[in-house]
Amino acid sequence: MRLCAWYLYGEKRRGYALNPVANFHLQNGATMWRLNWRADTSPRGVANSCGIMVNYRYFLNETSKNSTRYLQNKVIAASDQVLGFVSQFQKQRR
């Protein structure tokens, strides 16, 4: 889960999320909301993402701000759960 969170949140290409689905949702103002373990146990889901899925949540009163922050400053809006996994990954990596 930590590695998945880091991949979605921390791995960048030109400052933007490396994952194309993440990049799409973040450009549109979503918040990276929740990682779900064993959410897609189909053969394709396991092969593509070890069965982990991410939920993006659109808070209508924040989408414009989130989109602007992402596109102009490359800031990803994320929940405490996602940021917690990112923090754990960074601590483990040291």
Side-chain angles (χ1 to χ4, degrees):
M1 295 290 279
R2 295 184 299 259
L3 182 58
C4 180
W6 177 254
Y7 167 69
L8 293 170
Y9 183 86
E11 291 298 323
K12 307 286 176 76
R13 184 167 138 217
R14 297 186 186 134
Y16 298 106
L18 181 62
N19 180 274
V21 175
N23 193 47
F24 169 82
H25 287 290
L26 296 168
Q27 284 181 22
N28 288 305
T31 298
M32 195 175 291
W33 188 248
R34 183 175 56 214
L35 295 178
N36 302 291
W37 175 251
R38 294 183 48 88
D40 185 355
T41 57
S42 70
R44 183 176 180 197
V46 171
N48 288 343
S49 63
C50 299
I52 302 170
M53 291 182 74
V54 59
N55 292 115
Y56 293 93
R57 191 161 177 190
Y58 287 85
F59 295 100
L60 296 181
N61 60 332
E62 296 178 12
T63 56
S64 180
K65 177 186 75 168
N66 288 348
S67 178
T68 300
R69 288 179 69 213
Y70 181 67
L71 293 171
Q72 292 180 358
N73 303 317
K74 300 171 176 84
V75 174
I76 293 175
S79 70
D80 289 341
Q81 185 224 35
V82 172
L83 294 175
F85 283 133
V86 168
S87 176
Q88 289 172 19
F89 173 83
Q90 290 173 321
K91 287 177 188 174
Q92 179 184 2
R93 204 168 79 171
R94 292 181 191 158

